[in-house]
Amino acid sequence: MKASKMIIPTLKEAPNEAQIANHILLIRAGMIKKLVAGVYNYLPMGLKVLGKIENIIREEMNLSEAQEILSSALQPKELWEESGRWFKYGPELMRLNDRHNREFCLGPTHEEIFTYLARDLIKSYKQLPVCLYQIQTKYRDELRPRFGLMRGREFIMKDAYSFDIDLAGLDKSYNVMYDTYTRIFNRLNIKFKTVLADTGAIGGSESHQFMALSDIGESTIAYCSSCDYAADEEKCEAISSEKIEKETLQETALIHTPNAKTIEEVVNFLNCDIKKVVKSIVYADDFNSRLVMVLVRGDRDINEIKVVNALDIPEAFLRLASDNEIAKINSVSGFVGPVNAENVMILVDKEVSEMSNFIVGANKKDYHLTNVNFGRDFNGTVKDLRMAKEGDICPVCGKPLSFERGIEVGQIFKLQTKYSEAMDACVLDSQGVKTPLVMGSYGIGVTRTMAAIIEQNHDEFGICWPLNVAPYHAVIVPVNYNDEAQQNLALEIYEKLRNNKVDVVLDDRDAKVGFKFKDWELIGVPYIITVGKKAIEDIVEFKVRKENIKVEKTKEEATNIIIDAVKNL
Ligand code: ATP
Ligand code: MG
């Protein structure tokens, strides 16, 4: 391709809307353009990268004998009612009506559609196992679309669904996809960890996430350096390394704590250890129309996923209670506590149940209670409800856990028969008995993966694409395209590379050479060949983008390096 014919809308400055590197670079390099929050257009250079990522995913999925289909984004409400998710999925589901007032959604994921397809297409155990996949646009009305392609409201996902006759079959299919994802992310040059995960709105019995390691990731990974345990922070069991000694129980006392509402204010006012204070947070469970108080130690954070799981409700139905609702449990915001609270379910973090003589809100403005004890002064359901934290130990081997941040680029789930039973997707087994299909579901965020690759592969000048996903493998930059020798050599190299399957651009634009270099460094083309004064001697300057060093090479040397590298992809 000749650059003079291309749309290369690079920008000098970072746009206001973007703060993190991959978002800034995607926009500055002219790869994407925002339409509205969380919705992007993919421009020619961006689409080329996307296509290459998709093809790597496709090759590996096909190698694992998954079959590609393309299903609709528009999904009828009826199927979501069959699975029970029309109501449960909550406000993230993009819902719409047609002219006859029939209700639809734009698919955020496709369990319903693939279960519907399987119940018609698969009749006998003899057809199993089957794995179907697609690469398709998904819609989620995210509460906070942000960071460009990382959290969009419209994004591209590769989703796959496996169908087996029994749980042993599912285990095999799941492992095949686990290995396939490992190959895909390795080929995409992503540094990642695979972690145990919560099953969330998709559901099922077991799940893993593939996390691209990055400080700007929205997920936190807890992992053990002594064994191979690794889990998403939301999933990680919280086990403290601190030994909790049971003290002699003291008598409860009401104490005046004017204006001390937050944990910090209480600690400062009473001049006590934060580990002696218990945080009481009231939530509304809108699924069951009830209020729930959750208790964790003062220095701990509540893990809302664990709360949602303890209540067995969809995540979208949990929210913080309003002041009015807090009044309904006979309490007041800032001074909430479990003793004598009314009309509220109490969930107690395991650690709190083991503590003695702690401080809680007294359900009375400007008062707290001291020397409160679980079992004596109040009761509730005891569960692991807090976030795992630095200082906690590995649930498998007991050694200290470490933490790091990651971008969730993929997740796989053992759905078992959740959807097939609800939607009556059955086959006949070898005895001729009707049995529900045993399913798995497997997603890769394709556009988020593109962002993650940039996040892990960039420098101060721009993107450093790995060769196999770069929009172009190489660019030829003549210093002066009007110079005959330079033009001839540039064209000769261009033709040679093109004839050897190298995706190459010839920058024939009428612009300063410095301007051109800046563009290609920003866009991140892996090889840059500069054709300048030594064109008459067939000598060019050769630069590997990510190393940023220029060396002189003959035209043969330069072209052969690139041709070989592309051949070896
Ligand atoms: P998250 O926890 O980040 O909201 P999720 O767990 O809800 O994601 P899944 O249902 O597991 O997402 O979807 C499969 C994959 O699709 C994710 O691993 C992620 O890579 C991608 N993905 C999910 N939501 C988005 C989004 N809003 N924008 C871009 N990619 C997304
Ligand atoms: Mg997920």
Side-chain angles (χ1 to χ4, degrees):
M1 188 86 193
K2 298 220 173 99
S4 59
K5 301 271 186 310
M6 293 165 64
I7 294 192
I8 309 175
T10 49
L11 297 175
K12 268 211 179 94
E13 302 295 328
N16 286 338
E17 64 181 274
Q19 275 94 40
I20 58 170
N22 79 72
H23 188 191
I24 293 171
L25 290 171
L26 276 164
I27 295 176
R28 282 194 56 215
M31 305 236 162
I32 60 169
K33 188 158 175 56
K34 182 169 126 180
L35 187 62
V36 290
V39 182
Y40 287 87
N41 297 292
Y42 300 90
L43 302 182
M45 210 76 77
L47 189 64
K48 282 205 78 176
V49 175
L50 203 56
K52 291 186 180 187
I53 296 174
E54 289 179 0
N55 275 339
I56 288 176
I57 295 175
R58 205 170 259 126
E59 280 173 20
E60 295 301 332
M61 291 298 291
N62 293 347
L63 198 67
S64 296
E65 300 194 323
Q67 296 174 71
E68 185 168 6
I69 69 160
L70 182 58
S71 77
S72 55
L74 197 61
Q75 307 187 3
K77 172 187 178 181
E78 293 76 18
L79 287 182
W80 284 70
E81 281 183 331
E82 278 187 48
S83 73
R85 287 207 293 183
W86 183 257
F87 178 60
K88 282 187 187 164
Y89 210 91
E92 221 174 77
L93 193 62
M94 293 266 196
R95 298 159 207 257
L96 66 158
N97 290 18
D98 74 5
R99 66 172 77 200
H100 308 295
N101 252 341
R102 183 170 172 191
E103 290 176 272
F104 292 85
C105 68
L106 293 174
T109 174
H110 275 64
E111 281 74 16
E112 282 77 3
I113 301 295
F114 278 69
T115 309
Y116 157 84
L117 289 172
R119 82 178 166 198
D120 274 359
L121 299 175
I122 307 171
K123 297 288 179 209
S124 156
Y125 75 98
K126 288 185 188 148
Q127 292 168 274
L128 301 175
V130 168
C131 185
L132 299 175
Y133 79 96
Q134 65 174 345
I135 296 176
Q136 194 242 22
T137 304
K138 299 281 186 267
Y139 297 86
R140 294 184 184 182
D141 198 358
E142 296 276 356
L143 187 59
R144 277 185 294 275
R146 58 188 181 275
F147 308 143
L149 299 188
M150 300 254 296
R151 186 167 297 282
R153 294 195 293 169
E154 178 181 283
F155 60 96
I156 298 173
M157 197 199 283
K158 186 290 300 168
D159 47 330
Y161 305 84
S162 66
F163 303 91
D164 279 278
I165 192 68
D166 54 20
L167 290 174
L170 169 60
D171 285 349
K172 266 196 203 147
S173 296
Y174 187 87
N175 290 341
V176 167
M177 278 301 122
Y178 187 108
D179 293 344
T180 308
Y181 275 36
T182 304
R183 293 199 307 270
I184 290 171
F185 292 121
N186 279 335
R187 277 188 69 186
L188 291 174
N189 232 28
I190 292 214
K191 291 177 265 316
F192 68 99
K193 272 201 167 84
T194 312
V195 308
L196 286 169
D198 186 71
T199 52
I202 310 280
S205 60
E206 191 184 333
S207 178
H208 286 88
Q209 282 163 337
F210 291 76
M211 298 284 198
L213 305 178
S214 165
D215 289 345
I216 58 95
E218 292 185 89
S219 307
T220 300
I221 303 163
Y223 69 97
C224 176
S225 316
S226 305
C227 70
D228 59 6
Y229 179 81
D232 184 281
E233 180 189 42
E234 290 175 339
K235 173 78 177 171
C236 184
E237 198 184 329
I239 308 174
S240 175
S241 58
E242 299 166 31
K243 287 272 157 294
I244 305 177
E245 305 289 342
K246 260 291 178 211
E247 300 166 14
T248 317
L249 303 195
Q250 310 283 324
E251 204 168 312
T252 304
L254 183 70
I255 46 167
H256 193 213
T257 52
N259 295 321
K261 289 184 167 186
T262 64
I263 295 291
E264 288 67 34
E265 285 163 354
V266 174
V267 167
N268 287 339
F269 185 83
L270 298 175
N271 195 18
C272 65
D273 185 352
I274 193 166
K275 293 179 183 173
K276 273 285 169 198
V277 185
V278 164
K279 213 187 280 189
S280 312
I281 304 290
V282 185
Y283 286 93
D285 160 3
D286 289 332
F287 199 70
N288 298 302
S289 305
R290 63 182 170 185
L291 296 170
V292 180
M293 187 188 296
V294 181
L295 305 187
V296 293
R297 200 172 78 180
D299 58 333
R300 304 300 194 188
D301 291 318
I302 294 176
N303 181 332
E304 292 184 354
I305 298 299
K306 290 182 182 173
V307 174
V308 158
N309 288 340
L311 298 172
D312 194 19
I313 61 168
E315 194 183 340
F317 289 80
L318 186 78
R319 61 175 170 85
L320 287 173
S322 65
D323 286 356
N324 278 342
E325 285 167 322
I326 291 174
K328 283 190 196 148
I329 69 163
N330 193 26
S331 187
V332 50
S333 176
F335 302 93
V336 172
V339 184
N340 296 328
E342 290 168 6
N343 312 315
V344 66
M345 174 184 186
I346 298 180
L347 290 180
V348 183
D349 182 50
K350 197 165 159 292
E351 188 175 44
V352 172
S353 74
E354 291 161 5
M355 289 163 61
S356 329
N357 302 325
F358 48 83
I359 301 158
V360 293
N363 295 324
K364 185 175 172 188
K365 189 173 181 319
D366 290 338
Y367 284 89
H368 278 79
L369 288 174
T370 55
N371 296 329
V372 171
N373 290 282
F374 172 70
R376 184 190 72 175
D377 304 315
F378 69 96
N379 271 306
T381 308
V382 177
K383 293 255 178 198
D384 169 23
L385 298 167
R386 70 171 176 89
M387 285 287 188
K389 215 175 167 172
E390 209 75 50
D392 284 345
I393 56 171
C394 170
V396 176
C397 75
K399 296 273 162 44
L401 283 176
S402 305
F403 292 81
E404 70 184 312
R405 309 217 30 110
I407 302 168
E408 182 199 321
V409 284
Q411 185 164 8
I412 57 178
F413 304 82
K414 285 188 186 171
L415 301 175
Q416 298 191 344
T417 53
K418 174 174 168 180
Y419 293 89
S420 50
E421 271 182 42
M423 296 179 65
D424 195 27
C426 295
V427 286
L428 298 180
D429 68 12
S430 56
Q431 313 298 311
V433 180
K434 194 175 147 190
T435 177
L437 286 162
V438 182
M439 293 173 56
S441 126
Y442 314 91
I444 290 180
V446 181
T447 37
R448 189 186 280 182
T449 296
M450 179 165 161
I453 296 174
I454 300 177
E455 205 53 51
Q456 291 187 347
N457 297 276
H458 71 270
D459 62 16
E460 61 197 291
F461 307 109
I463 306 171
C464 305
W465 289 112
L467 190 61
N468 60 357
V469 295
Y472 291 92
H473 299 131
V475 57
I476 304 159
V477 184
V479 174
N480 176 5
Y481 198 58
N482 295 325
D483 176 281
E484 206 183 314
Q486 290 188 28
Q487 185 172 128
N488 288 342
L489 182 58
L491 282 169
E492 184 191 333
I493 295 174
Y494 178 60
E495 288 308 328
K496 180 165 178 204
L497 291 177
R498 280 190 1 142
N499 292 335
N500 283 279
K501 299 205 166 86
V502 175
D503 222 350
V504 56
V505 191
L506 172 59
D507 195 346
D508 59 342
R509 290 178 296 175
D510 186 14
K512 291 232 164 66
V513 70
F515 170 88
K516 294 185 188 179
F517 285 146
K518 281 217 170 71
D519 263 2
W520 299 113
E521 279 165 4
L522 177 61
I523 291 166
V525 174
Y527 295 107
I528 303 172
I529 293 180
T530 310
V531 180
K533 283 207 183 92
K534 292 199 177 169
I536 22 173
E537 299 166 49
D538 281 342
I539 288 183
V540 297
E541 274 185 341
F542 180 82
K543 179 162 139 176
V544 180
R545 166 68 182 86
K546 61 174 186 252
E547 289 161 11
N548 267 326
I549 326 165
K550 264 189 194 166
V551 283
E552 282 192 353
K553 293 212 182 285
T554 63
K555 65 178 180 194
E556 284 83 15
E557 284 170 340
T559 46
N560 286 342
I561 291 173
I562 299 171
I563 292 167
D564 285 349
V566 170
K567 251 191 212 142
N568 288 328
L569 278 181

